[in-house]
């Protein structure tokens, strides 16, 4: 059951698709306080209370024990103590012997989530705007809550099937020749590959929707040739448009009046990569249409995938911020330089970027209403995504386009995927990536993944291999790294063959993983779940923080530590462990419910299959389009008939009907029960 409570005058965020009348009755569970225009909800947590949700956020799957702040931020340097990441997903689920409900705050401004931070036994959730719709969801299980939230907010985005292939990315590929070399190295060494991302280096002076002529003379020809080799180019698009007369996107944006404005009506400007820029007012329908149209030439050149960046929006500096900093420095020059003055000046200089005052200094015009940016800040990236997705629906109505964004809000999950932003080549960020996935799924973002290997700083060989072992299972499997960091393409490393075999396992699993993804998306389910969702009565399962359920049949438990020779795994029921080294070389080990120490040398990683359910392995290939999805090896631990359903489609249909694509397989257990290993054929159409 879903109930809506309205406070003040909420802004239409486009997050919710279900229209409900507002409740008259008081809100249950919470003590409500209103102070200085803010709305706070307070609740005493049960000692056993677990809190799930908040999507993109640091720390564990259970969010209890920290303070989070919904405020989309470009936080290249995030750590365990970072309160805000690139996205805001205001859904939180309460799960304890006393509670089983979720709340969603449909509020695009700043929201703080003090979840047992100030007081261990208390949650206080505060909306700064005080204008919001609050949805209360009550169902009888955690998976039912997840479905109910999707019913409220709409179906998850469907990427094309090729987007489940391996994608190589790096900030710095500046020419066709360089990109071709990356492709060639993968193909020659048998490292499967389906896509290469183009970062801002492909643009002319970092200007959106331009193409540098020296590096990329003929985009259409280039993308066509790459596609013949089954490799898609995936260019980046940033949010801002450089202020430059004669640059077509600026001229048309200016002519249409599509940019965000200052109080005095002039266009707001801030510097990002191209220098001073204007910021499209994505909250306006006409501005979205204008911006969306700018993708058209790229689509016509054969581009089928994009990533949208810098859409928090990130602001490097404004004239105001820089002047203010210089003023402070000048003051210091004439005064006494003690340590306090010095730190103060440091602080001023360090807060030039993404400064709150700048976010308060410009306005949107939505539904004819002028609204200050900070009150709707968290919508910016989501509405940029919507501009792009609407454009794809206009110009490529019969196919799916890959789209993943950095910033997002609930609602954007209908239009695209997201990546987890700029992580580091740290073991702790590998763990964080895993722990973030179920929260993202709960919020509807099924197509996601982190920068494998880590974006910032230098990766080591073992860390990249362990990242890839997680990436085998994430829908977005992309290796990405920052300019000036150690080269991170697989072929750069001494153990590249081990890494290659890990990616090859992804391709052997790809039709199966795609099937699990599509079933989850089309039934409003979750592809990744905390163990608590399926084993709520099992206290060990409920407190497991470093393993995930995947789809209907599987569980993953990646190695997350440096120099580990294996790890402990908790099995909530009897399972079959498949310990992979390559698609051809793996062990199958039946294991009983309980704790196990699993030996996993660097090139090995496990997949656990739940009893009487199956995994389907195909023979693999070098690109998603060459995979044979008519012939599989089914693996299971069975003592009764195993029924599994394979979802298969053309990978392009924008609105497939689930039942038209399901193939039902029924496999008999071996006599007396045990490991089932059977060839299955599913003839095409
Ligand atoms: O300020 O385009 O998160 O993936 O490589 C950095 C350059 C801008 C941030 C993205 C990252 C991308 C980088 N971008």
């Amino acid at each position: 059951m879903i109930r809506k409570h309205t406070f003040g005058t909420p802004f239409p965020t486009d997050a919710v698709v279900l229209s409900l009348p507002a409740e008259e009755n008081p809100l249950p569970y919470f003590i409500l306080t209103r102070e200085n225009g803010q709305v706070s909800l307070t609740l005493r947590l049960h000692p056993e209370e677990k809190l799930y949700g908040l999507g993109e956020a640091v720390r564990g799957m259970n969010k209890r024990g920290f303070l989070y702040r919904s405020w989309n931020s470009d936080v290249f340097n995030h750590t365990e103590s970072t309160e805000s990441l690139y996205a805001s997903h205001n859904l939180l689920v309460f799960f304890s012997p006393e509670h089983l409900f979720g709340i969603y705050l449909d509020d695009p401004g700043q929201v703080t989530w003090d979840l047992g931070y100030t007081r261990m036994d208390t949650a206080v959730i505060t909306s700064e705007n005080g204008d919001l719709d609050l949805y209360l969801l009550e169902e009888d299980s955690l998976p039912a809550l997840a479905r109910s939230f999707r019913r409220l907010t709409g179906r998850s985005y469907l990427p094309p099937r090729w987007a489940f292939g391996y994608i190589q990315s790096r900030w710095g590929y500046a020419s066709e020749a360089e990109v071709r070399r990356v492709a060639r190295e993968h193909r020659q060494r048998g490292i499967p590959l389906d896509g290469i991302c183009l970062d801002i280096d492909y643009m002319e002076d970092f200007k959106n929707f331009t193409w540098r002529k020296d590096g990329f003379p003929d985009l259409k020809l280039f993308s066509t040739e790459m596609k013949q080799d089954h490799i898609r180019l995936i260019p980046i698009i940033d949010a801002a448009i450089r202020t430059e007369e004669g640059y077509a996107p600026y001229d048309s944006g200016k002519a249409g009046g599509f940019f965000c404005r200052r109080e005095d009506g002039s266009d707001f400007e801030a510097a990002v990569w191209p220098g001073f820029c204007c910021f499209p007012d994505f909250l306006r329908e006409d501005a979205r249409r204008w911006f969306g149209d700018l993708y058209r030439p790229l689509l016509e050149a054969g581009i089928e995938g994009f990533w949208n960046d810098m859409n928090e929006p990130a602001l490097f500096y404004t004239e105001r911020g820089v002047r203010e900093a210089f003023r402070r420095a000048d003051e210091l020059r004439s005064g006494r330089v003690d340590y306090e003055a010095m730190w103060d000046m440091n602080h001023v200089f360090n807060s030039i970027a993404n400064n709150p005052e700048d976010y308060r200094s410009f306005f949107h015009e939505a539904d004819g209403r002028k609204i200050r940016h900070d009150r709707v800040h968290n919508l910016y990236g989501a509405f940029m995504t919507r501009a792009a997705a609407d454009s794809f629906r206009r110009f490529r109505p019969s196919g799916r386009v890959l789209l993943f964004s950095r910033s997002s809000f609930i609602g954007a999950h209908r239009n695209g995927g997201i990546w987890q932003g700029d992580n580091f080549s740290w073991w702790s960020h590998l763990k964080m990536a895993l722990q973030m996935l179920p929260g993202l799924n709960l919020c509807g973002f099924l197509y996601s993944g982190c920068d494998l290997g880590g974006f910032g700083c230098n990766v080591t060989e073992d860390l990249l291999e362990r990242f890839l072992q997680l990436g085998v299972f994430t829908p977005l499997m992309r290796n990405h790294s920052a300019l000036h960091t150690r080269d991170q393409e697989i072929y750069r490393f001494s153990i590249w063959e081990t890494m290659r075999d890990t990616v090859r396992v992804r391709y052997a699993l790809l039709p199966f993983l795609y099937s699990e993804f599509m079933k989850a998306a089309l039934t409003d389910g979750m592809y990744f779940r905390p163990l608590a969702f399926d084993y709520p009565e099992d206290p060990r399962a409920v407190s497991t923080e470093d393993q995930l359920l995947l789809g209907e049949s599987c569980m993953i438990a990646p190695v997350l530590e440096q120099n580990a020779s294996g790890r402990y795994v908790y099995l909530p029921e009897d399972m079959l462990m498949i310990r992979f080294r390559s698609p051809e070389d793996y062990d199958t080990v039946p294991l009983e419910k309980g704790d196990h120490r699993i030996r996993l040398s660097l090139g090995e990683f496990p997949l656990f299959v739940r009893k009487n359910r199956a995994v389907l392995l195909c023979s693999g290939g070098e690109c998603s389009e060459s995979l044979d999805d008519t012939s599989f090896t089914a693996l299971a631990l069975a003592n009764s008939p195993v029924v599994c359903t394979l979802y298969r489609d053309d990978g392009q249909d924008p609105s497939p009907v689930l039942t038209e694509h399901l193939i039902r397989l029924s496999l008999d257990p071996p006599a007396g029960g045990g490991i089932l290993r059977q060839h299955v054929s599913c003839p095409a159409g």
Side-chain angles (χ1 to χ4, degrees):
M1 190 171 63
I2 310 177
R3 285 186 280 173
K4 173 164 116 179
H5 293 260
T6 298
F7 301 89
T9 317
F11 184 85
T13 64
D14 189 42
V16 166
V17 296
L18 204 64
S19 106
L20 295 171
E23 252 336 93
E24 300 294 333
N25 300 325
L27 179 69
Y29 303 114
F30 296 94
I31 299 167
L32 185 75
T33 37
R34 296 170 201 240
E35 235 171 24
N36 313 321
Q38 304 188 340
V39 171
S40 287
L41 309 167
T42 303
L43 173 139
R44 179 63 56 93
L45 296 167
H46 185 275
E48 296 297 312
E49 196 100 43
K50 308 280 188 282
L51 304 175
Y52 295 110
L54 292 192
E56 192 170 287
V58 299
R59 302 205 180 201
M61 301 180 200
N62 174 1
K63 308 317 280 185
R64 184 169 181 171
F66 193 53
L67 185 142
Y68 299 90
R69 202 180 296 276
S70 297
W71 184 260
N72 295 351
S73 307
D74 177 9
V75 271
F76 170 68
N77 264 313
H78 59 272
T79 63
E80 195 177 315
S81 32
T82 304
E83 295 169 350
S84 310
L85 295 180
Y86 305 84
S88 295
H89 304 133
N90 294 340
L91 169 69
L92 191 70
V93 167
F94 294 75
F95 173 57
S96 72
E98 280 171 7
H99 298 142
L100 182 55
F101 67 89
I103 51 165
Y104 170 59
L105 272 67
D106 199 9
D107 177 351
Q110 191 166 140
V111 178
T112 52
W113 307 79
D114 178 341
L115 307 180
Y117 168 79
T118 302
R119 278 188 63 109
M120 290 192 73
D121 62 356
T122 306
V124 185
I125 299 154
T126 305
S127 156
E128 194 170 277
N129 281 344
D131 291 311
L132 70 150
D133 282 324
L134 184 143
Y135 293 87
L136 181 73
L137 301 98
E138 293 172 292
E139 304 292 341
D140 58 11
S141 71
L142 289 166
L145 273 176
R147 269 195 302 280
S148 166
F149 186 59
R150 211 75 58 73
R151 201 159 62 80
L152 179 68
T153 57
R155 198 184 77 181
S156 289
Y157 159 77
L158 303 177
R161 182 173 178 274
W162 65 262
F164 289 77
Y166 182 61
I167 298 173
Q168 177 57 47
S169 181
R170 179 169 174 88
W171 180 4
Y173 297 154
S175 69
E176 246 183 50
E178 211 172 333
V179 174
R180 283 185 205 275
R181 169 155 180 251
V182 172
R184 196 167 56 239
E185 292 282 356
H186 283 81
R187 286 285 180 259
Q188 279 175 357
R189 294 166 189 253
I191 306 165
L193 187 68
D194 267 81
I196 298 181
C197 286
L198 301 181
D199 208 320
I200 49 173
D201 324 86
Y202 80 80
M203 300 176 191
E204 218 174 75
D205 304 323
F206 307 133
K207 275 152 45 185
N208 265 344
F209 307 108
T210 66
W211 211 259
R212 64 198 274 182
K213 301 288 171 297
D214 55 342
F216 300 87
D218 187 340
L219 166 64
K220 187 163 187 176
L221 184 67
F222 181 38
S223 93
T224 308
E225 283 177 14
M226 293 295 285
K227 245 197 278 186
Q228 278 159 4
D229 195 15
H230 304 280
I231 294 170
R232 260 88 173 173
L233 298 176
I234 307 159
I236 195 170
I237 301 292
D238 283 355
I241 296 289
R242 170 145 109 179
T243 314
E244 180 193 308
E245 277 168 35
Y247 161 48
Y250 174 75
D251 290 343
S252 56
K254 177 89 192 157
F258 296 140
F259 298 124
C260 294
R261 302 204 182 125
R262 302 187 183 100
E263 178 86 83
D264 67 5
S266 62
D267 289 341
F268 169 75
E269 286 184 74
V272 249
W273 290 107
F276 276 103
C277 288
C278 290
F279 292 76
D281 187 355
F282 293 117
L283 269 52
R284 282 171 55 180
E285 155 87 49
D286 52 357
R288 283 199 298 277
R289 203 181 168 89
W290 155 75
F291 194 85
D293 285 349
L294 299 173
Y295 286 80
R296 186 176 186 174
L298 292 164
L299 293 166
E300 284 169 356
I303 299 296
E304 296 173 38
F306 297 89
W307 47 315
N308 282 351
D309 191 19
M310 306 297 277
N311 47 5
E312 293 73 26
L315 311 176
F316 289 172
Y317 55 90
T318 58
E319 202 165 316
R320 181 209 62 78
V322 173
R323 285 200 192 292
E324 168 68 11
F326 287 154
R327 194 184 59 76
R328 295 287 278 274
D330 282 342
E331 262 174 31
L332 246 188
R333 211 196 308 262
S334 51
R336 203 179 114 91
V337 182
D338 56 14
Y339 74 89
E340 273 185 60
M342 196 57 209
W343 293 154
D344 185 51
M345 189 181 74
N346 267 348
H347 173 76
V348 170
F349 275 84
N350 286 329
S351 31
I352 290 177
N354 308 319
N355 188 289
E357 205 173 320
D358 289 327
Y359 289 123
R360 283 193 295 267
S361 74
F362 64 97
F363 295 80
H364 297 272
E365 207 185 287
D367 303 328
R369 188 169 143 194
K370 184 171 163 188
I371 183 149
R372 205 172 72 187
H373 174 79
D374 59 313
R375 296 182 56 86
V376 290
H377 173 73
N378 294 332
L379 288 180
Y380 197 76
F383 277 76
M384 179 192 183
T385 297
R386 188 170 155 195
D390 286 344
S391 149
F392 306 156
R393 286 188 269 264
R394 278 201 298 285
F395 302 122
R396 215 168 166 278
S398 58
R400 300 182 207 153
V401 176
L402 171 61
L403 176 62
F404 51 98
S405 171
R406 191 168 73 178
S407 184
S408 63
F409 191 74
I410 303 284
H413 70 286
R414 300 192 299 273
N415 291 321
I418 53 177
W419 88 99
Q420 295 175 354
D422 295 341
N423 59 357
F424 272 67
S425 299
W426 289 345
W427 292 90
S428 60
H429 275 187
L430 171 57
K431 182 169 182 186
M432 183 184 69
L434 172 96
Q435 293 184 314
M436 219 187 280
L437 287 162
L440 293 174
N441 273 252
L442 185 57
C443 293
F445 293 90
L446 266 49
Y447 188 78
S448 186
C450 69
D451 289 353
L452 298 174
F455 175 74
C457 66
N458 297 322
V459 77
T460 56
E461 299 201 79
D462 54 342
L463 179 57
L464 176 56
E465 170 58 19
R466 293 302 191 192
F467 257 110
L468 291 169
Q469 293 175 359
L470 168 64
V472 164
F473 302 107
T474 58
L476 168 64
M477 185 188 193
R478 181 175 77 136
N479 178 342
H480 182 52
S481 54
L483 192 67
H484 304 312
T485 60
R486 179 179 184 178
D487 290 327
Q488 201 167 285
E489 297 84 4
I490 285 176
Y491 55 83
R492 311 275 190 174
F493 298 94
S494 75
I495 59 161
W496 68 270
E497 286 155 301
T498 305
M499 297 174 183
R500 174 199 63 197
D501 287 343
T502 301
V503 180
R504 289 178 60 240
V505 172
R506 160 63 163 235
Y507 279 70
L509 285 168
L510 196 149
F512 172 76
L513 296 176
Y514 177 71
S515 163
E516 295 299 277
F517 178 95
M518 292 298 288
K519 284 186 286 181
L522 295 173
T523 58
D524 291 341
M526 291 162 73
Y527 173 88
F528 283 128
R529 301 179 300 288
L531 270 54
F533 277 57
D534 292 38
Y535 307 94
E537 308 290 335
D538 175 346
R540 283 284 285 114
V542 168
S543 60
T544 298
E545 279 280 328
D546 59 355
Q547 306 174 196
L548 291 177
L549 296 169
L550 185 166
E552 294 168 351
S553 320
C554 298
M555 182 180 82
I556 63 166
V559 169
L560 306 170
E561 276 172 22
Q562 187 176 356
N563 296 319
S565 59
R567 59 163 287 171
Y568 285 96
V569 177
Y570 175 71
L571 302 191
E573 59 173 299
D574 294 356
M575 291 186 179
L576 177 70
M577 174 178 73
I578 309 174
R579 179 168 37 213
F580 282 110
R581 285 174 288 276
S582 77
E584 300 81 26
D585 182 17
Y586 53 84
D587 310 318
T588 49
V589 187
L591 294 172
E592 284 176 6
K593 172 181 159 90
D595 287 291
H596 296 269
R597 167 82 191 168
I598 309 291
R599 188 177 44 72
L600 298 159
S601 64
L602 183 58
E604 296 180 319
F605 59 100
L607 176 63
F608 298 90
V609 191
R610 296 163 74 166
K611 195 162 187 184
N612 297 321
R613 306 189 189 196
V615 157
L616 301 175
L617 277 181
C618 77
S619 55
E622 69 169 16
C623 61
S624 63
E625 281 159 341
S626 74
L627 298 176
D628 175 6
D629 61 3
T630 63
S631 169
F632 296 96
T633 302
L635 294 171
L637 179 64
N639 59 6
S640 67
V642 175
V643 175
C644 72
T645 47
L646 178 70
Y647 175 97
R648 202 172 54 184
D649 68 7
D650 65 358
Q652 282 293 342
D653 182 351
S655 36
V657 178
L658 179 70
T659 49
E660 287 173 8
H661 299 284
L662 288 180
I663 302 163
R664 214 178 128 87
L665 303 166
S666 178
L667 311 165
D668 290 327
I675 298 177
L676 175 156
R677 194 196 149 100
Q678 195 180 312
H679 178 260
V680 244
S681 80
C682 319

